[in-house]
Amino acid sequence: MLTDLTASEIARLVASREASCVEVAEAFLQRIHILDSKIGSFLKVEPDKVLESAKLAQSMLDRGEGKALTGVPIAVKDNMSTEGIETTCASKILEGYIPPFDATVVTRLKESGMTLIGKTNLDEFAMGTSTENSAFQVTRNPWDLGRSPGGSSGGSAAAVAAELAPLALGSDTGGSIRQPAALCGVVGFKPSYGRCSRYGLIAFGSSLDQIGPFAKTVEDTALLTEAITGKDPLDGTSLDLGPISAQNLKSGSLKGLRVALPKELFGSATHPEVLEQIQNAINVLQKEGVEFQEVSIPSIELGVTTYYIIAPAEASSNLARFDGIRYGVRKDGQGHIGMVEKTRSEGFGHEVKTRIMIGTYALSAGYYDAFYLKAQQVRAMMQQEFQKVYESFDVVLSPTSPIPAFKLGELKKDPLALKLLDFCTIPANLGGMPGISLNCGFAEGLPVGLQLMGAPLDDEKLLQIAYCVEQALPSGTIKPSIA
Ligand code: GLN
């Protein structure tokens, strides 16, 4: 079946005319039609537009202008602006909003001839770890429909895991690509800060947000990364560097690789079976010649606290624009203040309001030094500690999530427990480092993700290493038995 294939396999098929881009798009639309009522990955799929974009891809191929992923369908998280297609951030405040422009990543997908298949569900404004904070629907984990796919890019991760799309885009502010990738058993990659344009990504924490790919394999991940990254003059934080190249992906080797294991990421909060799977992976890699060493990065212990000051502070500022005047569905109230109050209290969900309040508090006069400034100092300290580690090691390895997929509703009443789950992924965002999650086995029948973090801007090297690790640990080829 076409939907079983990886993105590279699909690209080869359409390039050799064994299938047309429209046939490929139809196969995925059909599978979405049959399965997505069970999973809830997509907020919006518009078949007419999908087929139109598949036809454009086909004409690119027919003109001999095909690129590496031309004709491959891709799902996009609904916090990235898509011209003419509703973009809601899974929030009532943006219901009905149709952007008049494309995010740079979407422009680049189109230039590469990929077929945008639909917009995926997320935690409202990407704030969450379970996708349960969406104002519109629940997304279920394809490995167990009673469980969360993780979040906030849960719709994108579940779509790839259930083969509703061979590729997807997510955004990662504190782990929102890597954690759902881990829980759904797919590959998820967050590039170094500044390598992928944020133009048109509806901002959450601007100093932390990065867009990145979901895919079934590291090779597909690297190809998609190459297509979307590289300097963008429309994003002031975009670095003056070319795309993250996939060209030398397969020329790395595990032999003699130096890998750091920070003991703070292997703590007692980690599920014993997750630890066991990671340990098995370490044993396999050791046999391949990888040298492991335990290290200590003490500031990791402060990561969650630091992140949950900085991210809400930036969010409180970014979300000020949703006031019913500039952006947001206006709700009429008494005078100007009454209107803004009603617009924001009815438009935002509970988690988003909580974050706006925490962020506003942390930034207010009298508290700024005690919270925001202190958090920035810890962030700088963490960057220095990691930099030291990268002077002696190629990558840092850890679990991606301390636990496998949890039951829907299980952690909803305990927001603190949910936030503590982010401790393995947050350092890469605070440090601007690239991070990737790949499947390394199963705990209680559910996927376990292994995370690799590289030095800032070492994205090509990290992908090369991840490719070698994937070859050594072929557990990523097992699929959920849905449908
Ligand atoms: N779980 C984290 C949060 O709720 C990370 C979210 C993200 O990366 N978008 O803030």
Side-chain angles (χ1 to χ4, degrees), residues 104 108 197-199 230-240:
T104 294
R108 291 186 177 170
S197 170
R198 293 182 298 107
Y199 179 74
K231 171 78 183 157
D232 177 17
L234 298 173
D235 171 1
T237 58
S238 162
L239 296 171
D240 201 2

Side-chain angles (χ1 to χ4, degrees), residues 189-193 195 239 241 244 258 260 383 385-397 427-428 431-436 452-463 465:
F189 173 53
K190 181 198 86 73
S192 296
Y193 186 79
R195 296 213 67 175
L239 296 171
L241 293 169
I244 297 170
R258 296 155 309 159
Q383 286 168 351
E385 286 181 10
F386 268 92
Q387 202 183 336
K388 261 224 142 66
V389 169
Y390 290 118
E391 282 166 17
S392 322
F393 295 91
D394 297 298
V395 280
V396 170
L397 183 150
M433 303 173 267
I436 188 164
L452 299 168
M453 287 183 277
L457 307 185
D458 253 359
D459 301 72
E460 278 93 350
K461 178 170 154 189
L462 180 67
L463 288 168
I465 295 170

